[in-house]
């Protein structure tokens, strides 16, 4: 009897933990989505002002890659 009760208790513990973690993951994904929307809004605002951060990042990427390649030699 004791073994069966203990097993059921452990099963309940793990199921409860998974339920809690699933809800936490859902909340985290919602937060990430909100953050992404805000970032896109600010990127658009900068682009409307003539600053294209994506283009600047693409220009900087080759230089960073060269520095990395040289550091690895």
């Amino acid at each position: 009897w004791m073994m069966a009760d203990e097993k059921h208790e452990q099963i309940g513990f793990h199921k409860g933990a998974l339920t809690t973690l699933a809800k936490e993951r859902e909340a985290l994904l919602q937060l990430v989505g909100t953050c992404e929307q805000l970032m896109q809004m600010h990127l658009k605002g900068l682009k409307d002002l003539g600053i294209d951060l994506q283009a600047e990042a693409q220009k900087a990427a080759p230089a960073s890659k060269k520095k990395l390649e040289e550091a690895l030699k």
Side-chain angles (χ1 to χ4, degrees):
W1 298 101
M2 193 63 163
M3 297 272 284
D5 287 344
E6 196 173 300
K7 183 177 178 180
H8 288 297
E9 191 175 311
Q10 287 182 353
I11 290 170
F13 170 74
H14 289 300
K15 283 184 176 182
L18 286 171
T19 299
T20 300
L21 290 167
K23 288 178 183 175
E24 290 292 325
R25 180 176 59 188
E26 198 174 304
L28 181 59
L29 290 173
Q30 185 177 1
L31 180 63
V32 170
T34 301
C35 183
E36 183 63 28
Q37 286 178 330
L38 290 169
M39 290 178 72
Q40 292 302 320
M41 180 188 73
H42 288 292
L43 284 169
K44 182 184 181 313
L46 285 171
K47 199 169 193 176
D48 291 347
L49 294 168
I51 298 170
D52 189 348
L53 290 180
Q54 289 175 327
E56 289 180 24
Q58 288 174 345
K59 287 180 194 173
S64 297
K65 186 177 177 183
K66 286 180 185 177
K67 288 180 185 177
L68 178 62
E69 288 171 353
E70 288 180 20
L72 292 174
K73 288 182 182 179

